[in-house]
Amino acid sequence: MNLVQRLRTWWFEFTGSDELPLDRESASWLVSLCVHLVILILLATVAFLIPQDNDYLLTSAPLDVEEMLLPEEVHFSEMMPMEIGALGSESVTNAEASAPVEAEISEILTAIEPVSLVSDMPAIDSDIEVLTAPNVNENMLVKGTGTVGTSAAKGAIDRLTNEILLSLEQRPTLVIWLFDESGSLQPQREEISKRFDRVYEELGVLEAANNPAFKKDEDKPLLTVVASFEAALTVHTKQPTGDLATVKAAMQAIDEKASMIYEQGNNATGQENVFGSVGQLATEFRKYRTKSPHRNVMIVVFTDETGNDFHNVDPAVEICKKSAIPVYVVGVPAPFGRREAFVKYVDPDPMYDQTPQFVAVDQGPESMMPERIRLRFLGRNDQDDRIESGFGPFGLARLTYETGGIYFSVHPNRRNGYINRGQTDAMTTHIAKFFDPMIMRNYRPDYITESEFKQQLAANAAKMALVQAASLSWTEQMDDIRLRFPKVDEAELARDLSMAQREAAKLEPQLERLVGILRQGETDRDKVTEPRWQAGYDLAIGRALAAKVRTEGYNTMLAMAKQGMKFKNEKNDTWLLAPSDQVTTGSVLSKEADQARMYLERVVTEHPDTPWAYLAGIELESPFGWEWREEFTNVRARMENQGDGNPQPRMENVPPKKPSRPVPKL
């Protein structure tokens, strides 16, 4: 009996059924499954019994391990303080640290609050360690952001030394020193020449010169070019050099050439083509940026004027930006809203007259076009004292700004308070008032092209009106006006009043025109958002309205007096026209006086410690209205005694005055 028959018999006895639950095909499938399972188990057992090679091959990328560098002994911060050294007068060694230095453990943790949302995800809060210093200046100035004030060229040189060191840390560097050949810059050139030894010692050039690895000029880390300019550019080093003696010899050649021009005025062309010179140097030496060894190239300009080739500003900016050549300028502060400043010239030869003379030179303005109206103050014969704008001349400041350099504004009298002409150093521009550079940073001019500037004016009537008003010729306020009118008789008083009216009548049309131009911009004044333009427009229209109210009010008061006035006290014999806070000459003038006061007070309130607030404060010192007062001066007695005074005694033994000579080209 086969296996199937036996299973059938067993299943019948067990269940009473004659049919098996599995047919022949199902049984065959089940048997096959069992056989294969047994085979798989055997194969798995064999795999564990075979000896294995324990070598492994790693295919993942290695982890980035941060290299632990030893701390350097000296660190240079790329941020810079506004004041250079001890204001530049006694070198950096006497100054308290004002730039951040690295601390081993930061004691300052600044928690960053979420200030914005990225899609629906808030910014992540984190703690950032901040470098600490003995005296941290919270408002640091970085390259390319504006002007740095200093009282001497020494401070600028110290900062430039740092800039060169930072450049050398990146790659070898070529420094081009470009000097103005004008006579007024001679003291500064001498100061800089004496400073060169220290500069290059600090840069380590002298040590490198003794190293055989730097035997050839092209192998030295720092190369130098010395050039000068007047109407034309002169390069005094035939090729870039790393030899300090060659550099100093080139400096001496510039001094000799400048002295010849200074002493013989006929040799001076009167042209200072600084922008063309910068463009030529950038074009000639930009090849050092691309040929091996690839060098950084930087241009350092020393000048005390604005340059006569303003049309070359855009090409100079373009070539320097394309070639990645930063331009640094050691210059002078631009006078606020004025093209000319006045240098205090004293003849260097004591054999000649030492009387100071104030010579006009071009040192401004700080903006593309002047943004300050030319209007003198009432009763102030100050010849329109120049005040600091907080920035350098527009063209040079823009050149440094757009190329990533720095403009160093050098003036030896930089301090707080008012500075009169007698306190101004010889061969120095008279600046009567300086301002905090940290505040002035918010009032930076628009460093843009001329076409962009014109588009900006066309887009806003207030800006256009300010520039147009500032371009008008000088408008005088009433200067040395007559305020005292003695009364001998009615006819004499009337003649005196009429003569005084004539001077006021001449000014009224000029002031009307000035106010009319500025009125055209009132509709767009609220659209102005830049603090500089806000302050400029408000100051201009406020001053123009104040001058108009005073002048027309003065004329009206004289006209009223001509109609007849009687003294309250019969003993009095003199009429006195005195300033008054009340404008009583009509509702129109009273309304304009209120508008003038509103504009000027807004400047003082919204723009404190700026040139605009300073000038608005001076204007507000003089009341806008007038009033008649009377007093006794004994007119008849003085007229009878007129001409009886004793003659002045003649002075004897007065030393003869020294001869004078013409002022050379500065």
Side-chain angles (χ1 to χ4, degrees):
M1 183 180 295
N2 59 20
L3 178 60
V4 175
Q5 188 61 39
R6 291 177 182 176
L7 288 174
R8 189 184 300 276
T9 301
W10 175 81
W11 180 257
F12 178 78
E13 293 176 353
F14 182 74
T15 63
S17 174
D18 192 26
E19 294 293 331
L20 291 174
L22 297 174
D23 56 12
R24 181 179 298 273
E25 292 180 359
S26 299
S28 300
W29 178 85
L30 183 63
V31 172
S32 176
L33 176 64
C34 293
V35 173
H36 282 83
L37 288 174
V38 171
I39 294 172
L40 289 174
I41 293 172
L42 291 175
L43 291 175
T45 303
V46 172
F48 281 104
L49 295 177
I50 296 174
Q52 299 179 8
D53 187 0
N54 293 326
D55 293 336
Y56 296 94
L57 177 64
L58 297 178
T59 59
S60 60
L63 298 175
D64 293 333
V65 180
E66 183 177 358
E67 183 181 358
M68 300 298 293
L69 300 176
L70 294 176
E72 300 179 32
E73 295 183 0
V74 181
H75 294 265
F76 294 94
S77 172
E78 294 196 9
M79 296 182 295
M80 70 173 295
M82 294 301 302
E83 295 179 351
I84 308 300
L87 271 184
S89 58
E90 294 295 337
S91 175
V92 294
T93 56
N94 294 340
E96 183 181 6
S98 59
V101 297
E102 188 173 1
E104 294 182 359
I105 300 177
S106 175
E107 298 179 358
I108 302 176
L109 291 177
T110 302
I112 299 179
E113 300 292 339
V115 295
S116 63
L117 294 177
V118 179
S119 183
D120 295 329
M121 182 180 295
I124 299 176
D125 296 341
S126 64
D127 290 335
I128 299 178
E129 294 186 356
V130 179
L131 297 180
T132 61
N135 179 24
V136 177
N137 186 340
E138 61 183 7
N139 292 307
M140 294 294 180
L141 180 68
V142 297
K143 294 186 291 184
T145 60
T147 301
V148 181
T150 176
S151 64
K154 293 179 182 178
I157 291 294
D158 291 335
R159 173 60 187 179
L160 286 168
T161 303
N162 183 26
E163 291 295 316
I164 298 172
L165 278 170
L166 291 172
S167 178
L168 285 169
E169 288 181 358
Q170 297 177 347
R171 60 177 61 90
T173 299
L174 169 63
V175 181
I176 304 171
W177 303 90
L178 177 61
F179 292 90
D180 182 350
E181 295 174 356
S182 64
S184 53
L185 198 69
Q186 187 170 6
Q188 193 176 105
R189 280 194 301 269
E190 293 175 355
E191 181 181 5
I192 295 165
S193 181
K194 295 176 183 177
R195 197 78 170 169
F196 258 51
D197 283 325
R198 177 177 175 180
V199 170
Y200 280 82
E201 285 174 2
E202 291 176 359
L203 295 174
V205 173
L206 296 183
E207 291 186 22
N210 295 325
N211 191 321
F214 305 109
K215 186 175 182 180
K216 296 181 180 179
D217 269 349
E218 57 268 22
D219 296 331
K220 295 179 181 179
L222 176 64
L223 296 181
T224 302
V225 170
V226 178
S228 63
F229 68 91
E230 196 199 21
L233 172 69
T234 303
V235 180
H236 297 270
T237 50
K238 295 182 179 180
Q239 59 184 6
T241 179
D243 180 51
L244 179 59
T246 303
V247 172
K248 295 186 70 174
M251 289 288 298
Q252 182 64 31
I254 295 176
D255 286 338
E256 292 175 357
K257 182 178 181 181
S259 297
M260 181 182 65
I261 295 175
Y262 181 71
E263 294 173 0
Q264 302 177 14
N266 294 333
N267 293 329
T269 64
Q271 294 293 314
E272 295 182 354
N273 295 333
V274 57
F275 302 109
S277 298
V278 169
Q280 290 181 51
L281 291 171
T283 302
E284 181 176 353
F285 293 102
R286 63 179 175 177
K287 59 188 177 183
Y288 286 85
R289 294 276 303 157
T290 56
K291 76 174 188 179
S292 182
H294 302 295
R295 292 181 178 270
N296 288 336
V297 179
M298 54 193 298
I299 299 175
V300 184
V301 183
F302 294 85
T303 183
D304 60 353
E305 294 196 36
T306 61
N308 301 111
D309 58 337
F310 188 79
H311 59 281
N312 286 323
V313 173
D314 289 345
V317 168
E318 183 178 0
I319 185 64
C320 290
K321 287 178 66 175
K322 286 184 177 179
S323 305
I325 299 177
V327 180
Y328 300 81
V329 177
V330 181
V332 292
F336 176 62
R338 298 287 182 258
R339 295 188 184 278
E340 289 184 338
F342 296 92
V343 171
K344 183 178 181 180
Y345 173 77
V346 178
D347 199 305
D349 190 341
M351 297 298 295
Y352 291 91
D353 184 15
Q354 299 294 292
T355 303
Q357 303 179 61
F358 286 86
V359 183
V361 294
D362 290 334
Q363 293 185 347
E366 78 283 5
S367 52
M368 171 72 75
M369 297 182 67
E371 299 167 7
R372 174 187 172 190
I373 60 174
R374 290 186 270 190
L375 177 66
R376 300 195 191 278
F377 288 98
L378 177 66
R380 289 172 61 103
N381 188 21
D382 56 9
Q383 299 183 17
D384 188 57
D385 275 345
R386 299 313 196 242
I387 59 177
E388 185 201 24
S389 66
F391 302 93
F394 176 80
L396 292 170
R398 181 188 163 212
L399 181 61
T400 60
Y401 174 80
E402 293 213 43
T403 61
I406 302 171
Y407 186 95
F408 297 94
S409 176
V410 179
H411 199 288
N413 302 125
R414 185 179 296 278
R415 60 177 179 269
N416 295 328
Y418 183 84
I419 302 167
N420 60 43
R421 295 197 168 198
Q423 295 172 315
T424 302
D425 291 0
M427 300 302 294
T428 300
T429 304
H430 171 58
I431 300 291
K433 179 73 175 175
F434 292 89
F435 298 91
D436 186 348
M438 305 311 302
I439 294 175
M440 292 306 299
R441 186 191 303 182
N442 299 322
Y443 296 85
R444 178 176 58 80
D446 301 312
Y447 291 131
I448 54 181
T449 64
E450 185 175 356
S451 60
E452 291 172 332
F453 184 75
K454 290 180 179 179
Q455 292 175 6
Q456 187 182 83
L457 297 185
N460 188 278
K463 296 180 180 180
M464 177 68 79
L466 175 58
V467 173
Q468 288 180 346
S471 66
L472 295 179
S473 59
W474 274 100
T475 302
E476 303 284 345
Q477 289 205 52
M478 295 176 292
D479 190 19
D480 296 332
I481 57 175
R482 185 169 181 176
L483 300 176
R484 189 179 299 274
F485 298 90
K487 182 178 179 181
V488 179
D489 54 49
E490 292 293 342
E492 184 69 23
L493 177 61
R495 283 194 297 270
D496 290 344
L497 292 170
S498 297
M499 291 295 295
Q501 274 188 292
R502 292 180 183 178
E503 298 301 321
K506 293 178 182 178
L507 298 178
E508 286 186 10
Q510 301 177 35
L511 294 171
E512 283 281 1
R513 182 187 179 196
L514 183 62
V515 171
I517 291 175
L518 291 167
R519 286 286 196 194
Q520 296 174 8
E522 281 188 302
T523 55
D524 278 0
R525 165 58 182 84
D526 292 338
K527 300 177 184 178
V528 177
T529 58
E530 304 91 335
R532 178 182 183 86
W533 286 103
Q534 291 176 343
Y537 181 82
D538 289 353
L539 175 65
I541 193 170
R543 289 202 61 206
L545 284 170
K548 178 178 180 293
V549 170
R550 290 194 195 98
T551 304
E552 293 186 6
Y554 177 85
N555 199 359
T556 302
M557 293 294 285
L558 295 180
M560 293 170 59
K562 287 170 63 176
Q563 296 177 4
M565 294 189 303
K566 292 184 178 181
F567 294 112
K568 295 180 180 179
N569 187 337
E570 294 181 356
K571 293 183 179 181
N572 291 334
D573 59 2
T574 301
W575 289 106
L576 178 65
L577 189 57
S580 172
D581 291 329
Q582 300 297 322
V583 178
T584 60
T585 51
S587 60
V588 175
L589 287 183
S590 179
K591 181 180 178 180
E592 289 183 333
D594 292 339
Q595 290 177 332
R597 189 172 291 106
M598 179 273 293
Y599 279 116
L600 294 172
E601 289 178 349
R602 184 161 70 179
V603 173
V604 173
T605 302
E606 297 183 358
H607 310 280
D609 301 319
T610 65
W612 297 272
Y614 174 74
L615 296 174
I618 294 177
E619 193 68 68
L620 287 169
E621 290 176 359
S622 300
F624 299 161
W626 303 95
E627 64 179 1
W628 283 110
R629 298 175 185 175
E630 58 184 65
E631 61 183 8
F632 177 72
T633 59
N634 200 5
V635 177
R636 293 188 179 280
R638 288 189 294 108
M639 291 183 64
E640 292 174 358
N641 296 328
Q642 187 175 3
D644 293 338
N646 296 323
Q648 293 293 329
R650 183 177 179 181
M651 297 181 65
E652 299 180 357
N653 298 325
V654 177
K657 187 177 180 180
K658 294 181 179 180
S660 60
R661 55 179 176 174
V663 178
K665 174 68 175 64
L666 297 181

